[in-house]
Amino acid sequence: MPYSYSKFKKEVANHITRMVSRNSKILDVGAGSGVYCDLLREDFDFIDALEIFPEYIKMFNLIGKYNNVIEGNILDFDFSGYDYLILGDILEHLSAEDAVGLIKKIESKSKLCMIAVPYLYEQGTEFGNVYETHLQPDLTPQVMSERYPSLNLLYGDEQYGYYVNYSTHD
């Protein structure tokens, strides 16, 4: 869905604000409704959106929120010009193989990222968007630590987890 779990959003925004300098280039991958831009816009000068579903770009006026809005797929996108990536509700939409490869690619380019995922959540096509289908509905804290050992839990509960690919000692 273009919306995500609301719990811990302010804490995550505060964490990103503490960890990332104001002039950093941020890429919000799968921007959906633009919630991360809404949370971070006043603290950062440069936030771009990468959105795979063109209807969300129109539906949520993403062009009015972000510096730039790019229609595309993170698996094919060159994110080397960005300092920090936000992947809110993205990993579960990728196959485990693609997601592991994406995390490795992010880390090989020394990019920092925050990843948010729902746990044990089945989902099919929503809003006519086939990309909404969850290809990893099996995610749990244990599966995350086994499948993505380089990620560290930042915040979470029994329904949802926020992870980062760097030390959480801020």
Side-chain angles (χ1 to χ4, degrees), residues 32-109:
S33 67
V35 68
Y36 289 103
C37 190
D38 293 341
L39 289 166
L40 298 169
R41 173 46 71 203
E42 64 187 52
D43 295 309
F44 294 95
D45 297 325
F46 196 92
I47 306 175
D48 281 356
L50 178 65
E51 177 54 59
I52 198 167
F53 190 56
E55 292 303 311
Y56 290 166
I57 295 170
K58 295 176 204 151
M59 187 183 306
F60 299 107
N61 188 29
L62 298 183
I63 292 171
K65 293 183 179 193
Y66 292 87
N67 295 80
N68 299 292
V69 177
I70 303 113
E71 183 183 331
N73 186 330
I74 188 60
L75 297 176
D76 307 317
F77 187 74
D78 178 10
F79 51 81
S80 58
Y82 294 91
D83 303 302
Y84 197 91
L85 307 177
I86 297 172
L87 288 86
D89 292 82
I90 298 302
L91 232 52
E92 68 274 13
H93 299 282
L94 303 175
S95 70
E97 181 181 351
D98 283 345
V100 167
L102 177 60
I103 300 301
K104 287 180 180 176
K105 183 178 174 183
I106 290 168
E107 292 172 349
S108 75
K109 294 182 180 286

Side-chain angles (χ1 to χ4, degrees), residues 110-137:
S110 301
K111 301 300 176 184
L112 301 179
C113 71
M114 188 283 297
I115 295 170
V117 296
Y119 297 140
L120 299 175
Y121 196 78
E122 297 266 353
Q123 180 174 287
T125 299
E126 298 274 336
F127 300 98
N129 181 358
V130 68
Y131 298 109
E132 288 287 1
T133 303
H134 285 192
L135 302 180
Q136 294 185 81

